């Protein structure tokens, strides 16, 4: 049984697929900048609803062709097994070897999940279809998933994903390191033996942070909320404060054994680069 500090540290970055040609052009520039950091891989999110799925495929293909390992996110709630099989084959044929496997959220208007209801079923299906071809990442929630019946139920459901064949996990973002350490302790007690990599959201925009955190159930501690409110529209102060908070959070996590960091880059190069360099990260 490994503890988190025994795993090799992995530093990775996340993009979302651009929606416009201008967005695609900006993301190319961002990729060129972030390539200098030599991330272990760049992952690309996936919309369950349809329109961004082609964007995920195009974006990972471009990243992979540029020489960086790309990891598409894949969600199952709105797709048939056949559709998932087809996309897995496509990724295999394009040299992709890592996938972030998710349940996803039900698109509005959809009444019931498709054939695979939870992420553990998707992980099992990927293993059945493609054996050990893919390294599979799954999602973890140190502050617990918003729909979880209870903390213990959510932990058991997390373990199901590991038993189904997940190799590693990336967390939802959080600002309280104790939530992460407590989650990791519980996982060790349940003999969950995979790296659990903190997902880190650089603080750069107050309104956006509040909106995202409401959606995904991440708690913004009161002291951070109050400080951000004070800054109003002073974007420079928000960014300087956000940078300090995020760097200190990463330092605490890494010095206490977190096996790496996954950066939610929001398709911007600068915040991730600043944090990465301040911490002197190397894969
Ligand atoms: P699951 O692990 O299936 O869990 C969902 C809920 O169901 C939890 O409450 C859990 O306790 C419960 N549960 C799980 N298994 C079972 C079971 N077998 N029986 C009963 N209950 C169960 N969303 C996107 O749309 N696109 C993305 O690209 C994307 N990327 C993400 C990346 C990361 C690192 C993270 C943390 C989240 C991401 N999300 C993404 C959001 C994610 O899709 C949502 O949080 C979604 O609601 C849950 O997905 P999951 O894979 O964690 O689900």
């Amino acid at each position: 049984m490994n503890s988190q500090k025994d795993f090799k540290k992995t530093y990775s970055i996340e993009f979302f697929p651009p929606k416009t040609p201008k967005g695609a052009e900006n993301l190319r520039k961002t990729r060129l900048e972030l390539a200098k950091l030599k991330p272990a891989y760049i992952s690309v999110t996936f919309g369950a609803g349809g329109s961004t799925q082609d964007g995920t495929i195009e974006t990972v293909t471009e990243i992979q062709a540029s020489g960086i390992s790309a990891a598409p996110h894949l969600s199952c709630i709105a797709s048939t097994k056949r559709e998932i099989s087809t996309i897995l084959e496509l990724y295999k044929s394009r040299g992709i070897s890592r996938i972030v496997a998710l349940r996803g959220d039900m698109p509005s208007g959809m009444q019931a999940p498709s054939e695979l209801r939870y992420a553990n079923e998707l992980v099992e299906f990927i293993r059945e279809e493609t054996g050990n071809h893919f390294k599979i990442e799954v999602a973890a929630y140190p502050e617990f998933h918003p729909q979880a019946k209870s903390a213990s139920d959510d932990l058991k459901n997390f373990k199901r994903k590991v038993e189904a064949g997940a190799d590693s996990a990336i967390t939802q973002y959080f600002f309280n390191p104790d939530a992460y350490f407590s989650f990791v302790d519980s996982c060790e007690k349940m003999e969950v033996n995979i790296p659990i990599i903190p997902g880190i959201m650089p603080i750069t925009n107050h309104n956006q942070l509040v909106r995202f955190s409401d959606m995904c159930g991440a708690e913004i501690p009161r002291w951070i909320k109050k400080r951000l409110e004070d800054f109003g529209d002073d974007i420079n102060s928000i960014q300087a404060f956000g940078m300090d908070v995020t760097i200190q959070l990463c330092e605490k996590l890494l010095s206490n054994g977190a096996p790496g960091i996954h950066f939610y880059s929001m398709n911007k190069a600068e915040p991730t680069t600043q944090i990465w360099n301040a911490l002197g990260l190397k894969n």
Side-chain angles (χ1 to χ4, degrees):
M1 177 79 197
N2 287 322
S3 87
Q4 291 298 313
K5 68 174 170 23
D6 299 328
F7 293 110
K8 182 186 172 300
K9 289 194 175 7
T10 300
Y11 304 107
S12 53
I13 296 173
E14 182 168 311
F15 287 170
F16 57 82
K19 293 193 182 67
T20 60
K22 189 168 183 319
E25 199 39 53
N26 286 340
L27 189 56
R28 267 176 218 121
K29 289 186 194 140
T30 296
R31 172 170 49 76
L32 288 173
E33 275 305 303
L34 292 176
K36 295 177 191 160
L37 306 177
K38 300 195 169 33
Y41 63 92
I42 296 181
S43 80
V44 181
T45 63
F46 180 87
S51 63
T52 68
Q53 298 187 4
D54 290 345
T56 306
I57 298 170
E58 278 162 30
T59 309
V60 289
T61 304
E62 219 176 296
I63 294 169
Q64 190 79 12
S66 79
I68 303 172
S69 169
H73 294 208
L74 179 61
S75 66
C76 62
I77 199 160
S79 302
T80 61
K81 287 183 177 177
R82 203 189 175 91
E83 285 163 343
I84 291 170
S85 256
T86 306
I87 209 166
L88 291 172
E89 279 312 310
L90 178 84
Y91 286 143
K92 265 177 88 171
S93 74
R94 295 197 180 173
I96 304 284
S97 58
R98 187 189 295 257
I99 279 194
V100 183
L102 303 145
R103 181 196 72 172
D105 292 310
M106 200 106 81
S108 57
M110 193 171 165
Q111 304 302 325
S114 184
E115 292 173 84
L116 301 167
R117 295 163 309 154
Y118 296 104
N120 67 296
E121 296 175 8
L122 175 62
V123 174
E124 203 176 308
F125 183 70
I126 297 174
R127 288 285 177 237
E128 274 166 22
E129 291 283 293
T130 61
N132 284 332
H133 176 82
F134 292 106
K135 188 164 175 9
I136 304 180
E137 308 280 338
V138 289
Y141 300 85
E143 294 175 340
F144 303 106
H145 186 264
Q147 292 158 357
K149 284 199 199 111
S150 65
S152 55
D153 202 57
D154 210 29
L155 283 162
K156 280 186 208 137
N157 289 330
F158 177 64
K159 189 175 181 184
R160 289 178 202 257
K161 299 195 268 198
V162 180
E163 287 170 343
D167 295 295
S168 179
I170 303 168
T171 75
Q172 182 58 276
Y173 70 84
F174 57 89
F175 296 106
N176 180 352
D178 289 337
Y180 171 81
F181 292 120
S182 165
F183 184 84
V184 160
D185 273 356
S186 303
C187 289
E188 281 180 10
K189 286 190 188 117
M190 294 190 310
E191 302 196 346
V192 163
N193 198 16
I194 61 167
I196 301 171
I197 314 258
I200 293 292
M201 173 75 90
I203 302 174
T204 55
N205 179 316
H206 182 194
N207 292 336
Q208 190 187 53
L209 185 71
V210 170
R211 202 172 63 245
F212 283 176
S213 304
D214 281 349
M215 269 183 332
C216 71
E219 185 188 47
I220 311 175
R222 182 179 157 85
W223 69 275
I224 296 183
K225 223 186 288 177
K226 287 288 186 197
R227 293 281 185 144
L228 291 173
E229 279 166 16
D230 258 9
F231 295 131
D233 293 333
D234 179 357
I235 197 80
N236 291 335
S237 298
I238 292 175
Q239 289 178 355
F241 169 76
M243 199 49 63
D244 281 352
V245 169
T246 316
I247 290 170
Q248 281 173 32
L249 172 63
C250 293
E251 276 170 346
K252 247 179 231 159
L253 291 166
L254 292 171
S255 63
N256 285 289
I261 291 177
H262 180 75
F263 287 93
Y264 294 112
S265 77
M266 303 305 294
N267 290 5
K268 294 201 166 31
E270 211 180 288
T272 297
T273 303
Q274 269 190 48
I275 301 164
W276 192 294
N277 289 337
L279 296 165
L281 305 182
K282 274 198 183 65
N283 273 301

